[in-house]
Amino acid sequence: MKKPLVGALFAVLLLGAGTAPATAATSHDATAPSTVKAAASSSHTAVRSKVRTKAVGFAGTVALSNCSGSVVRTPGSQPDDPALVLSNGHCMESGFPGPGEVVIDQPSTRSFTLLDASGGDLGTVRASKIAYGTMTDTDISVYQLTSTYADIESDYGIEALELNTAHPVQGAAITVASGYWKRTYSCNVDGFVYRLKEGEWTWKDSVRYTSACQTIGGTSGSPVIDDATGKVVAVNNTGNEDGQECTDNNPCEVDENGQVTVREGINYAQETYGIVPCIGAGNKFDLDAAGCELPKP
């Protein structure tokens, strides 16, 4: 969670959206701490891509009261399944879950503004519950909606974004699409962080952006979309604001040997491929399913 949303808004008013200062995605609360960042991992390395093969818009993204998000599906999701909205754990209206805390099937009536490809407001969709949420090992919240995918496509002509089933690749061209700001950020995957530590929270195998993605407060929960496939590979969540080490709003990278690296002004995301094995028939979370490694309550 980086610079508070109020601070980010002030900066945008002063400088204009195109020159807003670098800040990581903020939480639903103005005092939210930032989330963990990912250190480079040689096991997921590829040649850096310079060419963007697909323009990414806002279709399927949503705006929350203070964060961003997206309507998502797994490859196995069916048209009549209740649709899911992905955002950050630190964006939940119930407040930040503490270290080790996992939220499952918590009732919610939260509303989301659904956007079209150009960022126009299409209408409102509503949650029935927080299907899953945590800030342990990752920083995600997944809301179940009262609408099905078929309902949303019929009413608004919008298809859900698909969650990629594979680990993101170093060098891949990506776009962070913020429904809150109706703004996109284009850069590449710079690497992966073994452990990203911020205040009380620690995240595993996080995505580090190249410096071009200068995300600001309110972009928390934005889908990180692979430009080549159009699929969601991560969810935007934090950045190091002041160059401090491992403090709130200043996540640090910790490698396998415990060495700490601070990258001031660099922003991060949490991978999403690990969510897919945990979602079964009817879009219901099954944390005991084969391949599911999300934290359990």
Side-chain angles (χ1 to χ4, degrees):
M1 302 149 345
K2 193 154 165 13
K3 178 173 288 188
L5 185 56
V6 172
L9 178 59
F10 181 66
V12 170
L13 291 174
L14 285 178
L15 302 175
T19 55
T23 66
T26 113
S27 96
H28 73 290
D29 185 290
T31 58
S34 357
T35 33
V36 189
K37 308 192 174 190
S41 165
S42 59
S43 60
H44 302 290
T45 303
V47 177
R48 181 176 303 281
S49 170
K50 296 293 185 183
V51 179
R52 299 186 179 275
T53 59
K54 187 174 295 187
V56 175
F58 297 97
T61 66
V62 298
L64 285 65
S65 54
N66 40 20
C67 284
S68 300
S70 57
V71 179
V72 297
R73 64 179 179 88
T74 71
S77 295
Q78 299 300 307
D80 290 333
D81 287 342
L84 302 176
V85 164
L86 172 68
S87 189
N88 285 150
H90 74 259
C91 290
M92 292 191 295
E93 71 272 29
S94 53
F96 297 166
E101 182 180 354
V102 175
V103 174
I104 288 283
D105 293 337
Q106 177 174 295
S108 173
T109 58
R110 194 165 195 182
S111 63
F112 310 89
T113 302
L114 184 66
L115 305 183
D116 64 18
S118 62
D121 294 354
L122 287 175
T124 299
V125 292
R126 296 189 181 278
S128 62
K129 66 180 180 180
I130 301 172
Y132 184 87
T134 192
M135 288 178 66
T136 298
D137 294 350
T138 186
D139 181 13
I140 61 169
S141 61
V142 181
Y143 287 81
Q144 180 175 298
L145 300 184
T146 58
S147 305
T148 66
Y149 296 115
D151 292 334
I152 292 174
E153 187 167 359
S154 173
D155 293 343
Y156 304 109
I158 292 296
E159 296 182 359
L161 299 174
E162 184 174 333
L163 295 174
N164 201 359
T165 59
H167 192 285
V169 176
Q170 185 173 356
I174 54 174
T175 298
V176 182
S178 170
Y180 184 91
W181 287 114
K182 300 181 179 179
R183 177 179 174 184
T184 59
Y185 303 80
S186 296
C187 60
N188 294 79
V189 174
D190 186 52
F192 305 97
V193 182
Y194 177 69
R195 297 291 184 267
L196 188 62
K197 180 173 176 56
E198 181 179 335
E200 298 182 272
W201 292 275
T202 299
W203 296 269
K204 297 179 178 179
D205 194 23
S206 305
V207 174
R208 182 200 308 118
Y209 304 144
T210 53
S211 59
C213 276
Q214 294 293 311
T215 50
I216 63 174
T219 61
S220 286
S222 300
V224 180
I225 300 169
D226 184 294
D227 289 1
T229 65
K231 296 181 180 180
V232 177
V233 295
V235 58
N236 182 65
N237 78 316
T238 194
N240 187 290
E241 184 174 297
D242 305 315
Q244 296 178 24
E245 182 177 303
C246 311
T247 63
D248 291 352
N249 305 318
N250 292 282
C252 62
E253 301 182 9
V254 184
D255 69 14
E256 295 91 333
N257 299 314
Q259 180 175 340
V260 175
T261 300
V262 173
R263 302 179 191 270
E264 183 175 0
I266 294 298
N267 300 302
Y268 302 84
Q270 300 306 307
E271 297 165 358
T272 52
Y273 76 99
I275 299 173
V276 176
C278 305
I279 298 176
N283 269 355
K284 184 174 177 59
F285 271 79
D286 179 2
L287 301 182
D288 294 320
C292 179
E293 298 183 358
L294 288 177
K296 300 178 181 180

